Each structure stands twice: as structure tokens, then as C-alpha cells.
């Protein structure tokens, strides 16, 4: 890995729930040590309100995030690509480190159902960070 900070791209179909929560956690836990991006293969109009609420409960504000269309450039410029339940809809870019996180889709669910997804994402982000930024 070069001296530049690693770039992580989170991808789910709508870029409205899981990938936004993951990006929020990584920004929160990694600060400016990691470049964080998220995108969707078919982005929704708006971010999932239950995801926003669940993250707000842990002090992370993702209201300024907007679902974004996945682009070739964004993927090409990322070191790690984490897909979340988009199956074949997520393109594969050669030479990238991939992880596929099987997470329940929070779309259409209330905040009670989103909390466990949020907490599982946090655990996965902590593990990812331990690999990305080895303890000094």
C-alpha cells in the first residue's frame, strides 16, 4: 500500500441504508485516515429515514449524504470495495480487494429493525479498520 490513505467504497443497490450506515461508521471511527465513498447500482431518491434515525441514536449524522450512482471511476480509484447484498448487480473490478457483507436490507423497515443491522455494520467496520490501519 502506498503512503496515501486507503480508499474504501461501499456499494449496495439503493445506496440508501446499509452502505450509508457503513460509510457513516467508517468516517466516524477512522476520522481522516481513510477515504470513504459509497454508491449504489440503482440509487434511491433519498436516504432511508430509519437508517438516519438509527445512526443519529449513536451520535452519527448521515443526513447530508445522498444516494449516488456507482461509477467505474469511483470503483477504479478505490482500494477496497465492500458490496452489500447486491449480488450480480454489483460489478466486479479486477485487482481490487473485495468483501461481500451479507446484511439484511433495511429498506421499508422501522428503526427497531434497523438497529441490529447498524450494530453489525459497526462490528464489521471495526474489523475492517484493524486490517486497513494496523495499530501504530
Amino acid at each position: 500500500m502506498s503512503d496515501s490513505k486507503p480508499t474504501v467504497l461501499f456499494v449496495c443497490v439503493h445506496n440508501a441504508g446499509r452502505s450509508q450506515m457503513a460509510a457513516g461508521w467508517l468516517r466516524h471511527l477512522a476520522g481522516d485516515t481513510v477515504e470513504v465513498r459509497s454508491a449504489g447500482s440503482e440509487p434511491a431518491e433519498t436516504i432511508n429515514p430509519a437508517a438516519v434515525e438509527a445512526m443519529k441514536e449513536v451520535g452519527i449524522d448521515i443526513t447530508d449524504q445522498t444516494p449516488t450512482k456507482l461509477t467505474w471511476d469511483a470503483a477504479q480509484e478505490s482500494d477496497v470495495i465492500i458490496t452489500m447484498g447486491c449480488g450480480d448487480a454489483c460489478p466486479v473490478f479486477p485487482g481490487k480487494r473485495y468483501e461481500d457483507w451479507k446484511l439484511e436490507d433495511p429498506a421499508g423497515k422501522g428503526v427497531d429493525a434497523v438497529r441490529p443491522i447498524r450494530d453489525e455494520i459497526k462490528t464489521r467496520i471495526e474489523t475492517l479498520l484493524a486490517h486497513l490501519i494496523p495499530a501504530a
Side-chain angles (χ1 to χ4, degrees):
M1 198 176 284
S2 66
D3 291 337
S4 64
K5 57 187 171 182
T7 301
V8 177
L9 171 65
F10 296 103
V11 182
C12 65
V13 177
H14 300 301
N15 189 221
R18 292 167 291 191
S19 53
Q20 295 287 1
M21 288 192 288
W25 273 122
L26 187 53
R27 281 188 197 99
H28 179 72
L29 295 170
D32 60 2
T33 60
V34 178
E35 172 132 356
V36 181
R37 300 180 175 148
S38 71
S41 49
E42 298 170 32
E45 292 290 308
T46 57
I47 194 163
N48 178 333
V52 170
E53 183 61 32
M55 293 301 283
K56 192 180 290 179
E57 290 176 355
V58 293
I60 300 172
D61 182 4
I62 58 171
T63 54
D64 61 342
Q65 301 300 311
T66 310
T68 306
K69 178 84 175 144
L70 176 64
T71 64
W72 176 265
D73 288 348
Q76 204 55 37
E77 294 163 10
S78 299
D79 299 308
V80 180
I81 299 174
I82 296 177
T83 56
M84 301 174 171
C86 51
D88 299 336
C90 286
V92 172
F93 297 88
K96 300 294 173 187
R97 175 176 158 196
Y98 271 90
E99 289 186 25
D100 185 40
W101 292 0
K102 302 275 189 246
L103 294 161
E104 196 177 332
D105 187 349
K109 294 184 168 50
V111 73
D112 288 346
V114 175
R115 281 186 196 109
I117 303 169
R118 172 201 68 199
D119 295 343
E120 182 177 346
I121 290 172
K122 179 185 183 193
T123 302
R124 289 173 183 245
I125 292 291
E126 289 169 339
T127 303
L128 173 71
L129 254 180
H131 292 286
L132 277 182
I133 314 282

